[in-house]
């Protein structure tokens, strides 16, 4: 994995990232909703219990001790490809004050590494058309179409 800029460090998601602004960073992506420490803990504990399936990482700004960027890879177990594994990259977000400093590409590199290390035969993601050039720089190529059904 390529080095991070000085002043930044990569971590797995930690239980006290609630206080370090993790959900504020996610809000650049979509509506996060009003969380309390209890709703945070419930989700954090669920993901911790399934820590062979959910891998969420953060890049910390060491100067402020706040989360600057995050991303998740979810490992799906399939029957096809002889009990193959597929990595799904989700919830990539770089805080607006830290965008354009290569943190996004570092997050994706780290998640691709986790996908490879866990034995996935492919890693896929859905994204807005405007982010296609970013993901192409991260080594991804467009494939087929994305569909959605909102409830
Ligand atoms: N269009 C074209 N090129 C881009 C874009 C873009 N939208 N964003 C980044 N790039 C390029 C950069 O110029 C850079 O190119 P270079 O290596 O030639 O200099 C390269 O991609 C890497 O850019 P980073 O600095 O790593 O990008 P950044 O840290 O800003 O992260 C991201 C990019 C994740 C899209 C960030 O801007 C962001 O959080 N945006 C809002 C939330 C979002 O859209 N997240 C993605 C959702 S999709 C998903 O979660 C699967």
């Amino acid at each position: 994995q390529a080095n991070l800029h000085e002043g930044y460090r990569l971590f797995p998601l930690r239980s006290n990232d609630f206080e370090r602004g993790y959900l504020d960073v996610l809000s650049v992506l979509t509506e996060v909703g009003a969380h309390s420490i209890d709703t945070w803990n419930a989700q954090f504990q669920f993901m911790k219990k399934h820590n062979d399936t959910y891998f969420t990482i953060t890049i910390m700004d060491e100067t402020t001790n706040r989360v600057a960027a995050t991303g998740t890879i979810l490992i799906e177990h399939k029957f096809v490809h002889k009990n193959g594994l597929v990595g799904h990259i989700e919830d990539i977000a770089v805080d607006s004050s830290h965008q354009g400093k290569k943190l996004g590409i570092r997050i994706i590199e780290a998640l691709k590494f986790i996908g490879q290390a866990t034995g996935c035969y492919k890693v896929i993601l859905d994204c807005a058309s405007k982010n296609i050039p970013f993901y192409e720089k991260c080594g991804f190529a467009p494939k087929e179409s994305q569909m959605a059904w909102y409830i």
Side-chain angles (χ1 to χ4, degrees), residues 32-101:
V32 179
H35 275 269
S36 64
I37 189 72
D38 291 340
T39 59
W40 160 269
N41 278 332
Q43 196 71 297
F44 184 84
Q45 290 307 325
F46 177 88
M47 291 164 114
K48 194 175 164 193
K49 200 165 109 197
H50 301 280
N51 66 2
D52 55 353
T53 306
Y54 287 93
F55 295 85
T56 297
I57 58 171
T58 61
I59 291 176
M60 295 297 299
D61 175 347
E62 289 187 296
T63 315
T64 60
N65 196 30
R66 304 275 298 171
V67 177
T70 181
T72 294
I73 185 166
L74 179 63
I75 311 297
E76 179 199 2
H77 290 242
K78 298 177 92 73
F79 279 113
V80 298
H81 291 271
K82 206 170 168 187
N83 289 356
L85 301 177
V86 173
H88 296 264
I89 286 185
E90 287 284 340
D91 295 350
I92 304 303
V94 180
D95 184 74
S96 48
S97 65
H98 296 277
Q99 287 178 8
K101 296 180 183 174

Side-chain angles (χ1 to χ4, degrees), residues 28-29 89-94 99-105 125-127 130-131 133-135 137:
V28 302
L29 193 62
I89 286 185
E90 287 284 340
D91 295 350
I92 304 303
V94 180
Q99 287 178 8
K101 296 180 183 174
K102 303 277 197 283
L103 300 186
I105 208 163
L125 59 89
D126 293 331
C127 74
K130 68 176 166 60
N131 286 332
F134 167 70
Y135 286 111
K137 290 210 160 137

Side-chain angles (χ1 to χ4, degrees), residues 22-35 43 90-93 150-151:
Y22 175 76
L23 297 176
D24 299 332
V25 177
L26 269 191
S27 70
V28 302
L29 193 62
T30 188
E31 191 205 321
V32 179
H35 275 269
Q43 196 71 297
E90 287 284 340
D91 295 350
I92 304 303
Y150 284 88
I151 297 158

